[in-house]
Amino acid sequence: MMGHVMTLLIRFVEEQGGPQAVARAFEHAGLERVDYRFDTAYPEQDFARLLGASVATLGATSQQAELGFAEFFMRVSPELFPAMFRQSGNARTMLERIPQLHRSIPAANSRGALLNKLSIERSGPDELVYRYDSPHRLCLFLRRSCELVLKHYGERGTVTERACVHTGAPACLVAVRFEGPAGPR
């Protein structure tokens, strides 16, 4: 798992429950507190342990935690990565870039430490379909993040899950349908 995702998870826990919640999450996960590096991949099992411990520490369901983390992630990401959001210019370009961005981080990629969890299954004029195959099964996080990318760029669209590992599919298929600019508010 990329270090920036680990760091954002810790920041989310801290925002929700304070510094003591972060300490409890690390303790519950059986992990030593680490300052994760942005460009470094960390063991997937460490993320799984920290995620599970964070959910328990916050007293949330996994669905509540996924939705809350997606909201947090998309609130802070444009501030952390302003050039990426600005250069993308629209939701489709941003969503098309995400799988490649993760594979292009040199420090992690050079060690082969990243799993290819997210790829573009299909891309047509009005739709993009992701194939999401992660041991973390955070498809609700992915769907909500896609909705929030549309919102960030002031666009209308729908996000649906056509297949899901939670219902026995080998991977999740998440479709984003682009419907144009959002109307006046």
Side-chain angles (χ1 to χ4, degrees):
M1 179 61 68
M2 288 307 305
H4 76 279
V5 176
M6 305 281 278
T7 298
L8 289 178
L9 177 60
I10 293 165
R11 284 183 55 191
F12 171 67
V13 171
E14 185 169 26
E15 181 178 274
Q16 297 297 305
Q20 66 279 11
V22 173
R24 283 193 310 272
F26 272 99
E27 182 180 341
H28 187 259
L31 295 171
E32 186 177 320
R33 175 68 193 258
V34 174
D35 289 327
Y36 295 103
R37 289 179 41 102
F38 168 85
D39 63 345
T40 301
Y42 294 90
E44 293 289 331
Q45 63 270 22
D46 286 2
F47 177 75
R49 290 167 54 191
L50 188 57
L51 178 64
S54 296
V55 170
T57 297
L58 295 175
T61 67
S62 59
Q63 292 85 7
Q64 290 168 327
E66 279 187 67
L67 289 172
F69 186 44
E71 296 281 339
F72 174 81
F73 189 88
M74 282 306 301
R75 179 169 42 89
V76 302
S77 289
E79 297 166 9
L80 294 173
F81 311 109
M84 181 173 52
F85 278 83
R86 192 173 45 256
Q87 289 170 355
S88 292
N90 61 54
R92 179 184 198 91
T93 302
M94 173 56 88
L95 293 171
E96 286 177 334
R97 292 178 75 191
I98 291 171
Q100 182 56 37
L101 287 170
H102 284 274
R103 288 190 296 274
S104 67
I105 297 175
N109 215 8
S110 67
R111 293 187 307 277
L114 287 177
L115 297 175
N116 189 20
K117 297 177 276 193
L118 186 65
S119 58
I120 296 175
E121 177 86 3
R122 243 180 353 270
S123 183
D126 300 322
E127 184 179 67
L128 173 73
V129 180
Y130 282 129
R131 182 178 197 283
Y132 174 64
D133 185 14
S134 169
H136 308 301
R137 300 177 151 203
L138 299 174
C139 49
L140 182 56
F141 171 86
L142 176 60
R143 289 192 326 259
R144 184 63 184 142
S145 296
C146 290
E147 291 168 350
L148 293 169
V149 167
L150 287 164
K151 183 178 178 181
H152 174 82
Y153 287 101
E155 297 177 32
R156 290 180 300 113
T158 56
V159 180
T160 57
E161 193 164 7
R162 295 186 178 160
C164 183
V165 295
H166 293 289
T167 59
C172 297
L173 294 178
V174 175
V176 181
R177 185 144 191 83
F178 302 98
E179 298 168 358
R185 296 180 192 224

